[in-house]
PDB file of all heavy atoms in Angstrom:
ATOM      1  N   GLY A 152       2.294  62.021 -40.109  1.00 34.00           N
ATOM      2  CA  GLY A 152       1.567  62.030 -38.845  1.00 34.00           C
ATOM      3  C   GLY A 152       0.468  60.999 -38.796  1.00 34.00           C
ATOM      4  O   GLY A 152      -0.385  60.918 -39.663  1.00 34.00           O
ATOM      5  N   TYR A 153       0.465  60.187 -37.757  1.00 36.00           N
ATOM      6  CA  TYR A 153      -0.592  59.220 -37.559  1.00 36.00           C
ATOM      7  C   TYR A 153      -1.340  59.553 -36.277  1.00 36.00           C
ATOM      8  O   TYR A 153      -0.730  59.866 -35.273  1.00 36.00           O
ATOM      9  CB  TYR A 153      -0.016  57.797 -37.461  1.00 36.00           C
ATOM     10  CG  TYR A 153       0.607  57.325 -38.725  1.00 36.00           C
ATOM     11  CD1 TYR A 153       1.987  57.421 -38.912  1.00 36.00           C
ATOM     12  CD2 TYR A 153      -0.159  56.817 -39.756  1.00 36.00           C
ATOM     13  CE1 TYR A 153       2.576  57.000 -40.081  1.00 36.00           C
ATOM     14  CE2 TYR A 153       0.430  56.392 -40.924  1.00 36.00           C
ATOM     15  CZ  TYR A 153       1.792  56.484 -41.092  1.00 36.00           C
ATOM     16  OH  TYR A 153       2.363  56.072 -42.244  1.00 36.00           O
ATOM     17  N   ARG A 154      -2.642  59.448 -36.319  1.00 39.00           N
ATOM     18  CA  ARG A 154      -3.413  59.639 -35.107  1.00 39.00           C
ATOM     19  C   ARG A 154      -3.476  58.288 -34.398  1.00 39.00           C
ATOM     20  O   ARG A 154      -4.079  57.335 -34.888  1.00 39.00           O
ATOM     21  CB  ARG A 154      -4.819  60.119 -35.434  1.00 39.00           C
ATOM     22  CG  ARG A 154      -5.653  60.381 -34.165  1.00 39.00           C
ATOM     23  CD  ARG A 154      -7.095  60.706 -34.519  1.00 39.00           C
ATOM     24  NE  ARG A 154      -7.207  61.924 -35.288  1.00 39.00           N
ATOM     25  CZ  ARG A 154      -7.277  63.132 -34.769  1.00 39.00           C
ATOM     26  NH1 ARG A 154      -7.215  63.291 -33.463  1.00 39.00           N
ATOM     27  NH2 ARG A 154      -7.384  64.193 -35.538  1.00 39.00           N
ATOM     28  N   MET A 155      -2.822  58.179 -33.263  1.00 38.00           N
ATOM     29  CA  MET A 155      -2.787  56.930 -32.521  1.00 38.00           C
ATOM     30  C   MET A 155      -3.439  57.172 -31.172  1.00 38.00           C
ATOM     31  O   MET A 155      -2.803  57.665 -30.242  1.00 38.00           O
ATOM     32  CB  MET A 155      -1.361  56.425 -32.371  1.00 38.00           C
ATOM     33  CG  MET A 155      -0.738  56.083 -33.700  1.00 38.00           C
ATOM     34  SD  MET A 155       0.875  55.369 -33.544  1.00 38.00           S
ATOM     35  CE  MET A 155       1.241  55.024 -35.262  1.00 38.00           C
ATOM     36  N   MET A 156      -4.712  56.844 -31.073  1.00 36.00           N
ATOM     37  CA  MET A 156      -5.468  57.138 -29.871  1.00 36.00           C
ATOM     38  C   MET A 156      -6.131  55.865 -29.370  1.00 36.00           C
ATOM     39  O   MET A 156      -6.432  54.967 -30.138  1.00 36.00           O
ATOM     40  CB  MET A 156      -6.519  58.209 -30.162  1.00 36.00           C
ATOM     41  CG  MET A 156      -5.936  59.503 -30.708  1.00 36.00           C
ATOM     42  SD  MET A 156      -7.191  60.700 -31.157  1.00 36.00           S
ATOM     43  CE  MET A 156      -7.955  61.003 -29.576  1.00 36.00           C
ATOM     44  N   GLY A 157      -6.398  55.817 -28.054  1.00 38.00           N
ATOM     45  CA  GLY A 157      -6.986  54.621 -27.494  1.00 38.00           C
ATOM     46  C   GLY A 157      -5.939  53.532 -27.373  1.00 38.00           C
ATOM     47  O   GLY A 157      -4.742  53.771 -27.493  1.00 38.00           O
ATOM     48  N   SER A 158      -6.374  52.320 -27.096  1.00 39.00           N
ATOM     49  CA  SER A 158      -5.409  51.232 -26.958  1.00 39.00           C
ATOM     50  C   SER A 158      -6.065  49.906 -27.254  1.00 39.00           C
ATOM     51  O   SER A 158      -7.287  49.769 -27.234  1.00 39.00           O
ATOM     52  CB  SER A 158      -4.826  51.199 -25.539  1.00 39.00           C
ATOM     53  OG  SER A 158      -5.840  50.874 -24.602  1.00 39.00           O
ATOM     54  N   TYR A 159      -5.239  48.931 -27.579  1.00 37.00           N
ATOM     55  CA  TYR A 159      -5.680  47.560 -27.778  1.00 37.00           C
ATOM     56  C   TYR A 159      -4.629  46.682 -27.136  1.00 37.00           C
ATOM     57  O   TYR A 159      -3.492  46.619 -27.588  1.00 37.00           O
ATOM     58  CB  TYR A 159      -5.821  47.226 -29.268  1.00 37.00           C
ATOM     59  CG  TYR A 159      -6.399  45.847 -29.524  1.00 37.00           C
ATOM     60  CD1 TYR A 159      -7.756  45.694 -29.786  1.00 37.00           C
ATOM     61  CD2 TYR A 159      -5.603  44.710 -29.487  1.00 37.00           C
ATOM     62  CE1 TYR A 159      -8.303  44.452 -30.015  1.00 37.00           C
ATOM     63  CE2 TYR A 159      -6.141  43.463 -29.708  1.00 37.00           C
ATOM     64  CZ  TYR A 159      -7.483  43.328 -29.969  1.00 37.00           C
ATOM     65  OH  TYR A 159      -8.013  42.081 -30.187  1.00 37.00           O
ATOM     66  N   ASN A 160      -5.000  46.014 -26.038  1.00 40.00           N
ATOM     67  CA  ASN A 160      -4.049  45.185 -25.296  1.00 40.00           C
ATOM     68  C   ASN A 160      -2.787  45.958 -24.930  1.00 40.00           C
ATOM     69  O   ASN A 160      -1.689  45.424 -24.927  1.00 40.00           O
ATOM     70  CB  ASN A 160      -3.680  43.933 -26.100  1.00 40.00           C
ATOM     71  CG  ASN A 160      -4.796  42.905 -26.090  1.00 40.00           C
ATOM     72  OD1 ASN A 160      -5.834  43.125 -25.467  1.00 40.00           O
ATOM     73  ND2 ASN A 160      -4.614  41.799 -26.768  1.00 40.00           N
ATOM     74  N   GLY A 161      -2.946  47.247 -24.651  1.00 41.00           N
ATOM     75  CA  GLY A 161      -1.807  48.052 -24.218  1.00 41.00           C
ATOM     76  C   GLY A 161      -1.136  48.823 -25.326  1.00 41.00           C
ATOM     77  O   GLY A 161      -0.351  49.721 -25.066  1.00 41.00           O
ATOM     78  N   TYR A 162      -1.417  48.503 -26.597  1.00 38.00           N
ATOM     79  CA  TYR A 162      -0.804  49.219 -27.709  1.00 38.00           C
ATOM     80  C   TYR A 162      -1.648  50.440 -28.042  1.00 38.00           C
ATOM     81  O   TYR A 162      -2.842  50.329 -28.335  1.00 38.00           O
ATOM     82  CB  TYR A 162      -0.698  48.326 -28.948  1.00 38.00           C
ATOM     83  CG  TYR A 162       0.377  47.293 -28.856  1.00 38.00           C
ATOM     84  CD1 TYR A 162       0.072  45.983 -28.539  1.00 38.00           C
ATOM     85  CD2 TYR A 162       1.710  47.623 -29.074  1.00 38.00           C
ATOM     86  CE1 TYR A 162       1.064  45.027 -28.438  1.00 38.00           C
ATOM     87  CE2 TYR A 162       2.702  46.678 -28.976  1.00 38.00           C
ATOM     88  CZ  TYR A 162       2.372  45.380 -28.664  1.00 38.00           C
ATOM     89  OH  TYR A 162       3.351  44.432 -28.569  1.00 38.00           O
ATOM     90  N   THR A 163      -1.038  51.611 -27.996  1.00 39.00           N
ATOM     91  CA  THR A 163      -1.763  52.837 -28.307  1.00 39.00           C
ATOM     92  C   THR A 163      -1.850  52.996 -29.818  1.00 39.00           C
ATOM     93  O   THR A 163      -0.834  53.141 -30.487  1.00 39.00           O
ATOM     94  CB  THR A 163      -1.042  54.050 -27.699  1.00 39.00           C
ATOM     95  OG1 THR A 163      -0.964  53.851 -26.282  1.00 39.00           O
ATOM     96  CG2 THR A 163      -1.782  55.328 -27.996  1.00 39.00           C
ATOM     97  N   SER A 164      -3.046  52.945 -30.346  1.00 41.00           N
ATOM     98  CA  SER A 164      -3.223  53.040 -31.787  1.00 41.00           C
ATOM     99  C   SER A 164      -4.688  53.276 -32.131  1.00 41.00           C
ATOM    100  O   SER A 164      -5.582  53.045 -31.325  1.00 41.00           O
ATOM    101  CB  SER A 164      -2.762  51.765 -32.500  1.00 41.00           C
ATOM    102  OG  SER A 164      -1.365  51.638 -32.483  1.00 41.00           O
ATOM    103  N   GLU A 165      -4.910  53.728 -33.343  1.00 44.00           N
ATOM    104  CA  GLU A 165      -6.256  53.798 -33.883  1.00 44.00           C
ATOM    105  C   GLU A 165      -6.234  52.971 -35.165  1.00 44.00           C
ATOM    106  O   GLU A 165      -5.429  53.220 -36.054  1.00 44.00           O
ATOM    107  CB  GLU A 165      -6.646  55.245 -34.195  1.00 44.00           C
ATOM    108  CG  GLU A 165      -8.027  55.353 -34.816  1.00 44.00           C
ATOM    109  CD  GLU A 165      -8.371  56.790 -35.157  1.00 44.00           C
ATOM    110  OE1 GLU A 165      -7.624  57.402 -35.934  1.00 44.00           O
ATOM    111  OE2 GLU A 165      -9.367  57.286 -34.647  1.00 44.00           O
ATOM    112  N   TYR A 166      -7.111  51.994 -35.272  1.00 48.00           N
ATOM    113  CA  TYR A 166      -7.102  51.099 -36.421  1.00 48.00           C
ATOM    114  C   TYR A 166      -8.193  51.520 -37.392  1.00 48.00           C
ATOM    115  O   TYR A 166      -9.327  51.784 -37.005  1.00 48.00           O
ATOM    116  CB  TYR A 166      -7.304  49.660 -35.960  1.00 48.00           C
ATOM    117  CG  TYR A 166      -6.276  49.276 -34.938  1.00 48.00           C
ATOM    118  CD1 TYR A 166      -6.612  49.152 -33.604  1.00 48.00           C
ATOM    119  CD2 TYR A 166      -4.941  49.137 -35.310  1.00 48.00           C
ATOM    120  CE1 TYR A 166      -5.657  48.854 -32.662  1.00 48.00           C
ATOM    121  CE2 TYR A 166      -3.981  48.842 -34.363  1.00 48.00           C
ATOM    122  CZ  TYR A 166      -4.342  48.702 -33.042  1.00 48.00           C
ATOM    123  OH  TYR A 166      -3.386  48.422 -32.110  1.00 48.00           O
ATOM    124  N   SER A 167      -7.842  51.577 -38.655  1.00 55.00           N
ATOM    125  CA  SER A 167      -8.754  52.133 -39.637  1.00 55.00           C
ATOM    126  C   SER A 167      -9.968  51.248 -39.853  1.00 55.00           C
ATOM    127  O   SER A 167     -11.063  51.746 -40.062  1.00 55.00           O
ATOM    128  CB  SER A 167      -8.025  52.335 -40.968  1.00 55.00           C
ATOM    129  OG  SER A 167      -7.501  51.110 -41.441  1.00 55.00           O
ATOM    130  N   GLN A 168      -9.802  49.934 -39.813  1.00 77.00           N
ATOM    131  CA  GLN A 168     -10.946  49.076 -40.068  1.00 77.00           C
ATOM    132  C   GLN A 168     -10.618  47.630 -39.732  1.00 77.00           C
ATOM    133  O   GLN A 168      -9.459  47.250 -39.580  1.00 77.00           O
ATOM    134  CB  GLN A 168     -11.366  49.164 -41.532  1.00 77.00           C
ATOM    135  CG  GLN A 168     -10.336  48.641 -42.512  1.00 77.00           C
ATOM    136  CD  GLN A 168     -10.830  48.681 -43.954  1.00 77.00           C
ATOM    137  OE1 GLN A 168     -11.887  49.201 -44.235  1.00 77.00           O
ATOM    138  NE2 GLN A 168     -10.068  48.123 -44.863  1.00 77.00           N
ATOM    139  N   GLN A 169     -11.692  46.851 -39.619  1.00 88.00           N
ATOM    140  CA  GLN A 169     -11.558  45.421 -39.536  1.00 88.00           C
ATOM    141  C   GLN A 169     -12.031  44.830 -40.848  1.00 88.00           C
ATOM    142  O   GLN A 169     -12.829  45.436 -41.574  1.00 88.00           O
ATOM    143  CB  GLN A 169     -12.372  44.850 -38.374  1.00 88.00           C
ATOM    144  CG  GLN A 169     -11.844  45.224 -37.006  1.00 88.00           C
ATOM    145  CD  GLN A 169     -12.538  44.450 -35.913  1.00 88.00           C
ATOM    146  OE1 GLN A 169     -12.710  43.236 -35.981  1.00 88.00           O
ATOM    147  NE2 GLN A 169     -12.965  45.173 -34.882  1.00 88.00           N
ATOM    148  N   ILE A 170     -11.545  43.653 -41.156  1.00 92.00           N
ATOM    149  CA  ILE A 170     -11.889  42.986 -42.399  1.00 92.00           C
ATOM    150  C   ILE A 170     -12.064  41.507 -42.109  1.00 92.00           C
ATOM    151  O   ILE A 170     -11.435  40.974 -41.193  1.00 92.00           O
ATOM    152  CB  ILE A 170     -10.785  43.214 -43.463  1.00 92.00           C
ATOM    153  CG1 ILE A 170     -11.204  42.656 -44.821  1.00 92.00           C
ATOM    154  CG2 ILE A 170      -9.451  42.639 -43.013  1.00 92.00           C
ATOM    155  CD1 ILE A 170     -10.232  42.999 -45.945  1.00 92.00           C
ATOM    156  N   SER A 171     -12.921  40.846 -42.860  1.00 95.00           N
ATOM    157  CA  SER A 171     -13.105  39.419 -42.633  1.00 95.00           C
ATOM    158  C   SER A 171     -11.853  38.668 -43.091  1.00 95.00           C
ATOM    159  O   SER A 171     -11.218  39.031 -44.086  1.00 95.00           O
ATOM    160  CB  SER A 171     -14.337  38.901 -43.383  1.00 95.00           C
ATOM    161  OG  SER A 171     -14.063  38.762 -44.767  1.00 95.00           O
ATOM    162  N   ILE A 172     -11.497  37.652 -42.342  1.00 96.00           N
ATOM    163  CA  ILE A 172     -10.328  36.839 -42.698  1.00 96.00           C
ATOM    164  C   ILE A 172     -10.527  36.204 -44.069  1.00 96.00           C
ATOM    165  O   ILE A 172      -9.590  36.133 -44.876  1.00 96.00           O
ATOM    166  CB  ILE A 172     -10.079  35.771 -41.622  1.00 96.00           C
ATOM    167  CG1 ILE A 172      -9.650  36.443 -40.310  1.00 96.00           C
ATOM    168  CG2 ILE A 172      -9.035  34.761 -42.078  1.00 96.00           C
ATOM    169  CD1 ILE A 172      -9.554  35.504 -39.144  1.00 96.00           C
ATOM    170  N   TYR A 173     -11.745  35.786 -44.355  1.00 95.00           N
ATOM    171  CA  TYR A 173     -12.040  35.162 -45.659  1.00 95.00           C
ATOM    172  C   TYR A 173     -11.737  36.135 -46.795  1.00 95.00           C
ATOM    173  O   TYR A 173     -11.103  35.773 -47.789  1.00 95.00           O
ATOM    174  CB  TYR A 173     -13.506  34.734 -45.700  1.00 95.00           C
ATOM    175  CG  TYR A 173     -13.937  34.170 -47.039  1.00 95.00           C
ATOM    176  CD1 TYR A 173     -13.643  32.850 -47.386  1.00 95.00           C
ATOM    177  CD2 TYR A 173     -14.625  34.961 -47.958  1.00 95.00           C
ATOM    178  CE1 TYR A 173     -14.028  32.336 -48.619  1.00 95.00           C
ATOM    179  CE2 TYR A 173     -15.013  34.453 -49.187  1.00 95.00           C
ATOM    180  CZ  TYR A 173     -14.719  33.138 -49.508  1.00 95.00           C
ATOM    181  OH  TYR A 173     -15.088  32.641 -50.731  1.00 95.00           O
ATOM    182  N   GLN A 174     -12.188  37.377 -46.643  1.00 95.00           N
ATOM    183  CA  GLN A 174     -11.928  38.372 -47.688  1.00 95.00           C
ATOM    184  C   GLN A 174     -10.440  38.674 -47.791  1.00 95.00           C
ATOM    185  O   GLN A 174      -9.898  38.803 -48.891  1.00 95.00           O
ATOM    186  CB  GLN A 174     -12.689  39.659 -47.402  1.00 95.00           C
ATOM    187  CG  GLN A 174     -12.491  40.730 -48.472  1.00 95.00           C
ATOM    188  CD  GLN A 174     -13.269  42.001 -48.178  1.00 95.00           C
ATOM    189  OE1 GLN A 174     -14.056  42.044 -47.221  1.00 95.00           O
ATOM    190  NE2 GLN A 174     -13.065  43.041 -48.975  1.00 95.00           N
TER     191      GLN A 174
END
Side-chain angles (χ1 to χ4, degrees):
Y153 294 97
R154 182 186 297 275
M155 296 185 177
M156 303 176 63
S158 66
Y159 185 97
N160 285 359
Y162 286 101
T163 301
S164 289
E165 178 182 58
Y166 304 106
S167 59
Q168 65 177 6
Q169 291 190 47
I170 187 173
S171 76
I172 293 172
Y173 176 80
Q174 181 179 354

